[in-house]
């Protein structure tokens, strides 16, 4: 049997196992180890062990549980609730202001969590009921929360970019910095869409009633104190890192400690909250560790078969495509796979194949990591199996139907595609910040 045929068989078997509902890491790892045994005998057993040892020696991976813990502490202690009440009052007098405030809230949560799940949970349980009670259009605001929560995998500290860094062997710090401006660009485009849509159709996002807007300025300023704690945590975590005071791993530890101190200062850190936060952190961290081990093992076997070189030859020699045409085809393949797989599955399946090709074509791997992450955001919201679609269906009130959820994502997916095109056309949007800061250091 030729190596090309073996590679196709590996890929097909892995996809089949995923379709049957097996866990991602189990499907990928099982295929990798079984084929390693068939190809290289008992010596193939060392592949999985070697990849596990590689993970244990990868120092930046320590940031993963730190940032996940920080996000859960912020969520479990209700600090996010205080933030939303602040945005509610300050943005309420603007047409569509509560929806705009929700996007801003999601940006803040993303900067303290790194996962889209936390943003979705906060948006669906806190913001959505309030927006519906205020007469906001249920289709629009459902889309706002889904789109806003997806920012968590692009704005640092992004867990998805940590996984990409591991597979692509790129520095996590530069990838996080590269995600800052594209994330803010996308948030700005979301806000622009809401402003224009509510200006054209005011009934979709009514302003707060006059009696609620009559709050004294002193009370409004007092509400701003809700933003002090998140700003303190963000400064301790990101600010010290950007100033060169702390390393990447040290900044994650500082962020976790700062979140704990804030929770204690607000008298909200009970043993129950601490236990829940630590247990969820352990569960998510272990899941990602297993996925990374499986992905590295699968990539090692695939690389040993020469599959990467076969793909390079197919695109460049047989099809005769230009580098940009190949890059666009890669992004289209991610969008198609995103309809059926989550971001992690896509990364571990395709990144070992695409990353060497991207490097061969002369593109920057930091920039490509941002493109991949934006594509994942779109995949989060595309039917039939978009991750955020199912989360919203589970958390939304009964009056929001599945049809409403599917219709709500159409304009926001269009905005995300626009952001993807802009970052592709102007790579410095992603590359300027990491290049500027790392050259300065």
């Amino acid at each position: 049997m030729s190596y090309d045929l073996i590679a196709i068989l590996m890929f097909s078997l892995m996809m089949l196992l995923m379709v049957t509902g097996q866990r991602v890491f189990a499907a990928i790892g099982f295929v990798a180890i079984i084929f390693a045994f068939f190809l290289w005998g008992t010596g193939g057993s060392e592949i999985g062990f070697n990849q596990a040892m590689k993970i244990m020696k990868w120092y930046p991976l320590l940031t993963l549980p730190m940032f996940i813990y920080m996000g859960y502490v912020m969520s479990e202690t209700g600090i996010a609730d205080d933030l939303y009440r602040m945005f509610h009052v300050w943005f309420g007098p603007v047409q569509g202001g509560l929806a705009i405030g929700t996007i801003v809230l999601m940006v803040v949560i993303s900067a303290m969590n790194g996962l889209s799940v936390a943003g979705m949970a906060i948006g669906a349980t806190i913001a959505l009921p309030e927006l519906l009670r205020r007469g906001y259009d249920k289709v629009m605001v459902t889309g706002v929360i889904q789109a806003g929560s997806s920012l968590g995998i692009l704005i640092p500290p992004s867990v998805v970019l940590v996984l990409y860094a591991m597979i692509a062997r790129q520095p996590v710090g530069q990838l996080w910095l590269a995600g800052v401006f594209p994330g803010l660009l996308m948030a700005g485009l979301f806000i622009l869409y809401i402003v224009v849509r509510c200006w054209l159709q005011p009934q979709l996002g009514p302003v707060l009633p006059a009696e609620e807007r009559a709050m004294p300025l002193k009370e409004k300023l007092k509400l701003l104190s809700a933003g002090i704690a998140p700003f303190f945590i963000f400064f301790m975590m990101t600010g010290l890192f950007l100033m060169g005071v702390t390393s990447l791993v040290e900044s994650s530890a500082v962020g976790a400690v700062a979140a704990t101190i804030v929770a204690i200062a607000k008298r909200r850190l009970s043993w129950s909250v601490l236990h829940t936060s630590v247990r969820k952190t352990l569960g998510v961290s272990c899941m990602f560790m297993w996925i990374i081990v499986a992905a590295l093992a699968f990539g090692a076997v695939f690389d040993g078969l020469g599959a990467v070189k076969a793909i390079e030859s197919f695109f460049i020699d047989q099809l005769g495509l230009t580098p940009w045409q190949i890059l666009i085809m890669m992004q289209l393949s991610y969008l198609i796979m995103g309809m059926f797989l989550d971001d992690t599955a896509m990364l571990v399946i395709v990144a070992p194949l695409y990353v060497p090709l991207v490097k061969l074509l002369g593109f920057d791997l930091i920039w490509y990591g941002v493109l991949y992450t934006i594509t994942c955001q779109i995949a989060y919201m595309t039917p039939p199996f978009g991750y955020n679609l199912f989360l919203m269906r589970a958390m939304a009130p009964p009056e929001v139907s599945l049809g409403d959820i599917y219709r709500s994502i159409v304009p926001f997916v269009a905005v995300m595609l626009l952001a993807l095109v802009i970052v592709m056309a102007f790579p410095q949007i992603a590359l300027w910040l990491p290049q500027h800061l790392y050259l300065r250091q």
Side-chain angles (χ1 to χ4, degrees), residues 44-110:
S45 63
E46 295 183 8
I47 287 181
F49 177 78
N50 290 340
Q51 304 315 310
M53 290 301 100
K54 186 183 294 185
I55 276 194
M56 296 305 172
K57 296 175 183 177
W58 199 58
Y59 190 55
L61 199 63
L62 289 172
T63 62
L64 195 65
M66 297 291 185
F67 285 127
I68 295 172
Y69 166 80
M70 181 176 63
Y72 277 122
V73 168
M74 296 291 291
S75 176
E76 295 293 331
T77 55
I79 294 174
D81 300 34
D82 299 340
L83 273 174
Y84 187 71
R85 280 194 289 271
M86 179 187 75
F87 290 128
H88 173 88
V89 171
W90 279 92
F91 286 93
V94 181
Q95 200 78 47
L98 295 186
I100 295 172
T102 300
I103 293 293
V104 178
L105 173 68
M106 295 299 181
V107 172
V108 177
I109 296 300
S110 299

Side-chain angles (χ1 to χ4, degrees), residues 49-351:
F49 177 78
N50 290 340
Q51 304 315 310
M53 290 301 100
K54 186 183 294 185
I55 276 194
M56 296 305 172
K57 296 175 183 177
W58 199 58
Y59 190 55
L61 199 63
L62 289 172
T63 62
L64 195 65
M66 297 291 185
F67 285 127
I68 295 172
Y69 166 80
M70 181 176 63
Y72 277 122
V73 168
M74 296 291 291
S75 176
E76 295 293 331
T77 55
I79 294 174
D81 300 34
D82 299 340
L83 273 174
Y84 187 71
R85 280 194 289 271
M86 179 187 75
F87 290 128
H88 173 88
V89 171
W90 279 92
F91 286 93
V94 181
Q95 200 78 47
L98 295 186
I100 295 172
T102 300
I103 293 293
V104 178
L105 173 68
M106 295 299 181
V107 172
V108 177
I109 296 300
S110 299
M112 296 182 296
N113 184 266
L115 294 169
S116 69
V117 178
M120 174 66 78
I122 291 167
T125 57
I126 300 173
L128 183 58
E130 189 67 22
L131 289 165
L132 294 176
R133 190 172 70 85
R134 298 290 176 179
Y136 275 66
D137 179 69
K138 63 179 180 179
V139 174
M140 185 185 76
V141 297
T142 303
V144 166
I145 292 170
Q146 291 183 86
S149 66
S150 72
L151 294 170
I153 67 171
L154 182 57
I155 295 175
S158 166
V159 172
V160 171
L161 285 176
V162 173
L163 297 180
Y164 174 83
M166 186 67 189
I167 293 175
R169 294 176 174 84
Q170 296 298 305
V172 178
Q174 290 193 38
L175 281 163
W176 278 349
L177 293 174
V180 172
F181 286 151
L184 295 178
L185 168 68
M186 192 175 293
L189 291 174
F190 289 155
I191 291 173
L192 180 61
Y193 165 74
I194 295 169
V195 169
V196 173
R197 182 83 187 274
C198 291
W199 178 66
L200 294 174
Q201 298 174 284
Q203 71 278 9
L204 297 182
V207 299
L208 281 179
E211 58 271 17
E212 293 191 41
R213 283 181 281 157
M215 179 181 291
L217 181 60
K218 184 178 180 181
E219 292 187 28
K220 284 188 176 182
L221 292 174
K222 186 177 180 181
L223 282 172
L224 287 175
S225 63
I228 294 176
F231 177 79
F232 168 74
I233 295 172
F234 184 76
F235 172 76
M236 294 297 293
M237 174 186 68
T238 308
L240 295 178
F241 171 65
L242 295 179
M243 290 188 297
V245 177
T246 59
S247 67
L248 179 65
V249 176
E250 289 168 348
S251 69
S252 67
V254 168
V257 171
T260 305
I261 290 173
V262 167
I264 293 173
K266 288 180 173 286
R267 298 181 181 179
R268 297 181 183 178
L269 188 66
S270 63
W271 282 112
S272 175
V273 167
L274 184 61
H275 177 266
T276 301
S277 300
V278 172
R279 180 170 50 82
K280 290 182 177 180
T281 299
L282 179 63
V284 174
S285 300
C286 290
M287 177 191 70
F288 278 116
M289 294 270 291
W290 276 112
I291 288 172
I292 294 172
V293 171
L296 291 176
F298 189 90
V301 176
F302 233 50
D303 190 44
L305 289 171
V308 174
K309 292 182 179 178
I311 291 175
E312 292 172 4
S313 175
F314 176 73
F315 278 126
I316 297 173
D317 299 332
Q318 297 183 32
L319 296 182
L321 299 177
T322 66
W324 276 99
Q325 288 173 331
I326 296 173
L327 187 71
I328 292 170
M329 285 187 63
M330 290 177 182
Q331 298 310 108
L332 289 175
S333 69
Y334 275 131
L335 292 175
I336 294 171
M337 284 191 296
M339 297 179 182
F340 307 97
L341 301 170
D342 63 23
D343 61 307
T344 307
M346 287 193 298
L347 181 63
V348 298
I349 292 170
V350 183

